[in-house]
Amino acid sequence: MAVATPLLLFLLLAALTLAVAVARGYPADVVLNPPSEAPTAGMGGLVSATNGTGAYKGMAREFVDGHNKVRARYGVAPMRWDNKLARQARRWSNGMRGECVLRHSGGGRYAESLFIGRIASASDAINKWSTEEGIFDRQTGKCTGALDFHHCGHFAFIVRPNFSRVGCGRAECFNGGVFITCNYYHD
């Protein structure tokens, strides 16, 4: 019976964790993996729900749909996924796995938004960036009052009419958490 008790506690904790994560809107395939895709310990002790790839099924569609849902409220044409922007975002996110701090890549001719969260899905990043809507001035495309652009810039990138393409990357940090990068460009 002594062996069954820790196992029972583990299974109960796992079921509770899954229920809370799904209730919060995290994709179940990020939280729960089939036995053939069980989390593995990789470089630096990373325990990964995606075998270290950071990507999950439907992630690109979730990013595009989330952006376009916000853009529709503003009457702005939808964005489309751009593999080149996504590749650059993935490279930067993967490069930040060790430190896992918000630092922009500083490269390229595109706009960039960053997000760090615990389990962090595409929707989590877009929802966080959308909280800046209250300090965004639609008429000027800038922040309200005397606030710098970094206070509302993430939201501005989502609804900027001349941005027609988006590409995002997601990486699991070695110390826990997730680093997300989205890049934006115009035609």
Side-chain angles (χ1 to χ4, degrees), residues 77-111:
M79 285 186 173
R80 68 182 187 279
W81 188 256
D82 184 289
N83 286 327
K84 184 176 179 182
L85 291 174
R87 190 169 35 258
Q88 183 65 29
R90 207 168 34 252
R91 283 183 190 136
W92 184 247
S93 292
N94 285 337
M96 295 305 294
R97 292 169 76 181
E99 295 177 76
C100 209
V101 295
L102 290 175
R103 183 171 51 237
H104 287 280
S105 66
R109 301 179 341 230
Y110 47 81

Side-chain angles (χ1 to χ4, degrees), residues 14-15 17-35 37-39 48-50 55-59 62 119-124 170 172:
T17 302
L18 175 62
V20 169
V22 170
R24 290 184 177 173
Y26 296 113
D29 57 340
V30 172
V31 180
L32 180 65
N33 300 297
E37 297 177 19
S48 170
T50 63
Y56 56 87
K57 185 176 181 179
M59 185 180 79
E62 187 179 344
I119 298 175
S121 67
S123 296
D124 292 326
R170 179 184 180 278
E172 294 162 351

Side-chain angles (χ1 to χ4, degrees), residues 44-157:
L46 172 70
V47 176
S48 170
T50 63
N51 291 322
T53 67
Y56 56 87
K57 185 176 181 179
M59 185 180 79
R61 175 58 39 210
E62 187 179 344
F63 274 117
V64 171
D65 289 349
H67 279 82
N68 288 338
K69 182 178 177 183
V70 176
R71 290 171 71 83
R73 290 198 326 257
Y74 277 67
V76 180
M79 285 186 173
R80 68 182 187 279
W81 188 256
D82 184 289
N83 286 327
K84 184 176 179 182
L85 291 174
R87 190 169 35 258
Q88 183 65 29
R90 207 168 34 252
R91 283 183 190 136
W92 184 247
S93 292
N94 285 337
M96 295 305 294
R97 292 169 76 181
E99 295 177 76
C100 209
V101 295
L102 290 175
R103 183 171 51 237
H104 287 280
S105 66
R109 301 179 341 230
Y110 47 81
E112 180 180 73
S113 290
L114 305 176
F115 174 81
I116 294 177
R118 290 207 19 88
I119 298 175
S121 67
S123 296
D124 292 326
I126 294 166
N127 289 338
K128 173 62 176 163
W129 297 330
S130 293
T131 64
E132 299 171 0
E133 183 174 11
I135 56 171
F136 175 73
D137 184 338
R138 183 177 186 171
Q139 300 302 319
T140 65
K142 298 178 181 178
C143 302
T144 57
L147 294 173
D148 290 334
F149 190 71
H150 73 271
H151 288 97
C152 71
H154 306 102
F155 184 78
F157 294 157

